[in-house]
Amino acid sequence: HDLAQGRVMSWSLVRIEAEDIAELMTWFADARAVNYWGGPSFRFPFDRESFDKDCRWGDFSSYCLRSPDREFAAFGQMGSRYGRAHLARLVVNPDMRGRGVGRKLLESLIFVAHAEQKYREIGLLVYKDNTAAYQCYLALGFEVQDYPDGALLPGECHYLTRSVD
């Protein structure tokens, strides 16, 4: 653990800052990675202008998870859809995958959904073939639900929810 002013530093979830976006843009090597993360309407290749537009910053609260060393470890967005909090565009820094960072991101977002935004339930969509993410969500108590009317990609994704209280 790192010490700062006599305190043990810990993981923190904070609002994303403009300077973080350039780093976030480097986390996607190809169109498939962008599609898994951003959905079928997210353009690839992208530039800063198209990335900003496709992230829909105004429609979602956007967060970065910082490691105890203050590294940008993960990113996620939260909004409201289908009558509950909705998580979107969840991604772990490629250099930190396989270390439980996705779990830390989800636990932090679930806490914010309940404590700050007063949601009682949270949902998300995940591609059926995104096995690592799907298994992480199930391990955190998410359960597959009926697909929401009007949601994109009903044959390709699962819709999962869980209680946040």
Side-chain angles (χ1 to χ4, degrees):
H1 293 280
D2 291 330
L3 297 177
Q5 300 173 6
R7 296 186 353 236
V8 174
M9 297 294 292
S10 61
W11 293 84
S12 60
L13 187 72
V14 296
R15 296 288 179 140
I16 193 164
E17 306 224 0
E19 59 267 17
D20 297 320
I21 297 168
E23 181 177 348
L24 177 62
M25 290 172 62
T26 69
W27 293 0
F28 307 100
D30 54 39
R32 184 170 187 251
V34 170
N35 184 52
Y36 260 21
W37 174 71
S41 62
F42 210 101
R43 291 169 275 186
F44 186 87
F46 48 72
D47 57 24
R48 179 61 185 258
E49 183 179 339
S50 69
F51 191 88
D52 282 348
K53 184 173 183 181
D54 293 348
C55 273
R56 298 172 45 204
W57 300 115
D59 295 342
F60 296 93
S61 297
S62 300
Y63 298 93
C64 71
L65 181 68
R66 295 228 177 264
S67 74
D69 294 330
R70 313 311 306 149
E71 290 178 274
F72 185 3
F75 171 85
Q77 292 182 305
M78 186 183 334
S80 180
R81 256 194 211 157
Y82 317 119
R84 57 184 56 93
H86 184 81
L87 300 183
R89 297 190 184 93
L90 306 171
V91 64
V92 172
N93 181 327
D95 295 335
M96 297 183 176
R97 292 183 183 158
R99 298 189 217 164
V101 175
R103 181 181 192 91
K104 286 179 181 25
L105 173 66
L106 284 159
E107 289 169 345
S108 299
L109 288 168
I110 290 165
F111 177 82
V112 168
H114 181 65
E116 293 181 15
Q117 299 189 18
K118 306 302 183 205
Y119 284 103
R120 300 183 64 81
E121 204 171 23
I122 197 160
L124 56 84
L125 294 164
V126 62
Y127 280 99
K128 290 179 178 179
D129 63 349
N130 190 349
T131 308
Y134 180 69
Q135 292 301 323
C136 180
Y137 304 145
L138 293 179
L140 286 166
F142 283 85
E143 297 177 353
V144 176
Q145 303 295 331
D146 290 337
Y147 213 75
D149 290 337
L152 296 175
L153 308 169
E156 297 178 51
C157 294
H158 291 295
Y159 182 63
L160 299 114
T161 66
R162 70 157 273 181
S163 170
V164 294
D165 51 359

